[in-house]
Amino acid sequence: MSSKTQSRDSRLEGSADKINNEPPTQKPSLIKRLWDGSGLNPGMLMMMVKGALPPAISLAVYQSTAFADVYSTLGYLVAIMSVLSFAILPRSKYIQTMLFNIIGVCIGAAVALLAIYCSVQARAHTSPSVKATGNGPSPGAAVATYNSSASAVSAIWLFFNIYFVNTLRASRPQLQFPVIVYSIFAMVASIYAPNFPTMVAGIAFAKRLMETFFTGFAIATGVSLFIFPVSVRMTFFKQSAGLVAAVQGILKAQIAYLQTLEKKDMFRTPTKSDEDEKDKKSNQHKKDNAAKPNGSVEAQRLKAAIGALGELYGKMHADVTFAKREMAWGKLNASDIDELLKLFQEIILPVTGMSSVADIFQRIAERRGWTQRETASFPENEKGRNQWNEIMRTLHDPFQTVTETMYDGLQHVLYTLELAKPPKRQKASKKTSGDDAASKDVEADAGVMKPGDPEYAIYLTKKIDVFYEQRKTTLAVWYQQRGIKVDANPFKIPSQTTLNIGTEITNGSDDPYEHAKNQRQLYLVLYMEFLLWSTGRAVLALVQFADKKFEDGTMKKKRIISPTLSRLKKWVTGSLNVEDAGMEHAPDSMEAGGGGIYSGESFRAAKDPEHLPPTNAWQRSTNVLRQSIGHLGSPESAFGFRVACATLSIGIVAYLKDTYVFFMEQRLIWAMIMVAIGMTTTAGFGVFGFFGRIVGTAIAMCTSFVIWYIVNGHPAGVIVFMFVFVFVEFYFLMKYPRFTVVAIISIVTQGKLHSRLACVSGGMLVAFIWTFFPYPLTARSQLRQDLGVSLYLLANFYSIVHTTIGLRVKGTEGNMESKDSPGRKLQKARGKVYVKELALLAGLRQHSAFTAWEPTFGGKFPKQQYDTIIQEVHNILNYLALISYSSNHFSHDPAASPDKASWLQDFARLVGKLEATSQDVTSLLALLSSSVTNGNPLPPYLKPPPSYKLSQRLEELDADILSMSHIAEPGYSAFAVMQIASSLVNDDLGKLIDNVKALVGEVDFSFHVISTADSSEETLLGKEGPKGKKD
């Protein structure tokens, strides 16, 4: 063995220790464990302080006599608006939300003045004299005695006001915050409107109410912009550092899992002791007769890490739009941020595909009986497992080496883009021993480089190229296992090597089954090697991007970065368009589900079977009227109507002569405000929110007692303790986003003690009732609707991938640098649908979790089936993304050279002749989507499209095209990845059809000879013979 090989092996051992065998550490202290468990960090503490400042400042300035004289009894709204402004939002999100809030208040003031005018006129026409009888809610807004006509007019205005804005809220997710603020303004104005005798008093009140809201906005804005300012760019870069760290963690988990496949018990078979232990458990756990490979600890860790990575990437994709709009003092501009996100996506796709190895081995083990106790010990199964053990042991060293190199490459990106601080370099001592100098010379001669070194990209390129060449060693071992006779170097001159899989076996057999088995095994080896190599290429592209930004001076100094005019114009024109609901739009994160995902016009707008398209002026004008009336029956209109009814159920107390004084004295306006905040679109959220909001108000009541009595009512002490408690409540708001509204209600209701608890509880009860009445809007029905949207988007994604592959095979993608090229347009559409589907799947899992809170009447909800379908949709999405990613190497293979591109051209020519892709899957997924959305049964005899068997058909056209002599050719491994991913898609499609069929049923023509419920032949009258009247 050469010294070079020995040094390489020593470095491999060191890399293994670095990645997998971390040195044991001492048990941390109790304080450190509590700190780590709490998830607190300096940034989170600063945001908690920032969130607690606005209400504290509002209460502090309210202690001023001059301030109290101006705002009078409306002063409490200053603190509420300062909280609802959400000063902790990053800058661009906060500014956009604040602009909508300001516009909403201005429109609300205009509508309120119109309502006050109508109320004043109703009073003037029904009362002989109009005189002020007392002071109003604000200076200059005197009030008169009760008038039934004015109250009726105000109630009508309130109803339609709340109905309209909440219909808009349901259709435009980005208006969640402004609608809540608008609703509070409209409620307060409508409650006091019947009491104003003249417009002078009404105008004075509306003006003071606007000033109150704007004062709360101003306090929150000052805190947001000047106290611990945070931009979306800062958040994005922190997320980028977190994503890089997550990929590093996945590389660790990936190697740990692959190393488990080197052991003889790679698929553990349950023993007698395992069965005895199972007998002691419940029946639910005893029914498992096999151990699943992906149930290992290593596989579970890998899948958990992949799930966290996808969730983080979804957040980054939602934030990148705001990050590119911001004006900042920084280094990377909007184009750099956009490019960085694309490079991250190029890493995520192969990494996600690599995680599917656990699923692949699970399916192999189950089909071959490796997990069954009765068949696991068969000689054939033992031989199969031993073959894989040997293959994985052969892959160990190259996989370990390239993984360690990628790990360091990602660390280099963190240092170069200043996403993490590089370690302090140890200063060389003046006196260096001879041994130390010699060791440094050896390290320099070996060419070992560290992250952060100027030429690390060159070093990484060499390492990846070495891994690419080392595949031949693995394949040579595979040849030996199969007994294939090969030359010393079968890949040196592929044209002179005419080996084919399964044809040169020692025993001389030419079994087609053995041929297919060997081919599948080879494809899986190439699958793992290709994806790991692709991950390395993606990491290299990221390293090159970071080095480029360092070399061109981008990272040397900061500069003013401002958005372009076209970007600002796009933001303004698209601010009110239908868009996806993000966390920055929904104050109640529990409402952020599939309903906020815009699936496209074709999903909602079906062709009207009763009307042809309008052709003349009369038809077009009346068509607008017909469509307007049709909107009244939309789900958005139904939600607005429910909120309006719930609001007036409480507000009616303020418009009756015998109860309006009670309403004012007991501040029942709080119950109406809770309806505006607490009404949700589904009952599951309503049940959870109902109890959560009551708990939040109870906590606020308890803390209010503590805040007041611990300092004996002294204002300074009350403000300080109030700040401390709000500071703590913001911890739960940030740590557990699903309790956002619970924390907000707890914050805004501190101070009124038990009376506020009764008001909030009453408001929540009314909101809860109107969520179920007249028919429940359940989370279960919403889950079904969103699952239909998910299947629709999956069909859309498959169609885009199908078209993309067709263009790549034919070579008609065009120039990918041009925005007008077909390939570039498909790339943009593919990424957009992919992110939408990921966000929708996250919302579906949230909807599924909330179904447990809904009361069940009748049979149980099939939650397990829904969860299975959601997972199958997610799997198919990842496999399709992997197919699209791997097919890119047919036209843009980075390892292709002019002398090796001939095989790619021949391969593309043959695939083009076969027309290997089909839109049958698109039709199938669209049919499943329609069936789930509308609750209709599936048509009979529905099956997934048959597997195309592309390998077999290619060999029929050209027996040499898939010869093993071409394994080292560029694109061969990509073809193997596509073959495996396609088979996985076909397998999951069959499972998806079965689960959807079990969910919605199947059309059963029971009077046919062959029934879909029972495939046996029957007579038309059934098995039991003739019934009824005999002729």
Side-chain angles (χ1 to χ4, degrees), residues 780-830:
R780 298 169 181 177
S781 61
Q782 186 66 41
L783 177 63
R784 179 175 58 82
Q785 296 288 332
D786 291 346
L787 185 58
V789 176
S790 177
L791 290 167
Y792 171 84
L793 288 176
L794 187 62
N796 192 354
F797 187 73
Y798 178 87
S799 179
I800 297 173
V801 171
H802 166 270
T803 307
T804 300
I805 294 175
L807 291 180
R808 286 173 176 171
V809 169
K810 296 176 183 178
T812 56
E813 272 191 302
N815 183 12
M816 293 300 293
E817 299 296 328
S818 173
K819 294 183 178 180
D820 297 327
S821 65
R824 184 69 176 272
K825 291 181 179 179
L826 283 171
Q827 183 185 44
K828 183 177 180 180
R830 196 168 57 246

Side-chain angles (χ1 to χ4, degrees), residues 440-518:
K440 291 183 179 180
D441 292 339
V442 171
E443 185 178 358
D445 293 338
V448 178
M449 303 190 71
K450 297 180 180 180
D453 290 343
E455 297 181 354
Y456 191 83
I458 300 176
Y459 172 75
L460 181 59
T461 303
K462 293 179 179 178
K463 286 290 186 180
I464 295 174
D465 291 342
V466 169
F467 173 76
Y468 188 81
E469 294 298 326
Q470 283 179 340
R471 299 184 311 155
K472 301 174 183 178
T473 304
T474 306
L475 296 174
V477 173
W478 188 85
Y479 294 156
Q480 296 174 2
Q481 290 182 349
R482 308 266 78 72
I484 301 176
K485 298 178 181 180
V486 296
D487 299 331
N489 191 351
F491 308 108
K492 188 173 182 180
I493 308 177
S495 61
Q496 298 180 5
T497 307
T498 58
L499 292 174
N500 202 331
I501 301 173
T503 60
E504 295 290 337
I505 307 300
T506 303
N507 57 14
S509 65
D510 191 11
D511 185 8
Y513 172 78
E514 187 71 17
H515 171 83
K517 178 182 176 182
N518 292 338

Side-chain angles (χ1 to χ4, degrees), residues 10 27 31 137 315 344 369 411 423 503 708:
S10 64
K27 186 177 181 180
I31 296 178
K315 293 179 181 178
F344 285 150
Q411 202 67 30
T503 60
W708 182 260

Side-chain angles (χ1 to χ4, degrees), residues 19 244 247-248 251 254-255 347 351 398-413 456 460 463-464 467 531-540 543:
I19 294 182
V244 171
V247 173
Q248 290 177 322
L251 292 177
Q254 182 175 281
I255 286 296
I347 295 176
V351 165
F399 277 26
Q400 188 79 49
T401 303
V402 75
T403 299
E404 186 230 345
T405 306
M406 288 189 292
Y407 187 96
D408 290 342
L410 293 170
Q411 202 67 30
H412 175 83
V413 172
Y456 191 83
L460 181 59
K463 286 290 186 180
I464 295 174
F467 173 76
L531 290 179
L532 197 60
W533 174 75
S534 298
T535 305
R537 297 290 305 184
V539 172
L540 175 61
V543 169

Side-chain angles (χ1 to χ4, degrees), residues 47 88-91 93 230-242 312 315-316 319 323 326:
M47 290 301 100
I88 62 174
L89 286 175
R91 185 167 57 238
K93 293 182 180 181
V230 177
S231 65
V232 182
R233 287 170 54 89
M234 295 171 58
T235 304
F236 179 82
F237 290 136
K238 289 182 180 179
Q239 291 173 339
S240 299
L312 178 58
K315 293 179 181 178
M316 293 178 63
D319 289 340
E326 281 188 334

Side-chain angles (χ1 to χ4, degrees), residues 902-946:
S902 59
W903 183 87
L904 274 176
Q905 296 174 1
D906 295 340
F907 176 81
R909 175 177 51 82
L910 292 175
V911 173
K913 289 182 179 180
L914 291 175
E915 297 182 357
T917 56
S918 171
Q919 289 285 17
D920 291 344
V921 176
T922 306
S923 302
L924 174 63
L925 291 173
L927 179 62
L928 295 177
S929 170
S930 177
S931 181
V932 171
T933 302
N934 300 314
N936 296 329
L938 291 174
Y941 316 113
L942 186 65
K943 296 180 179 180

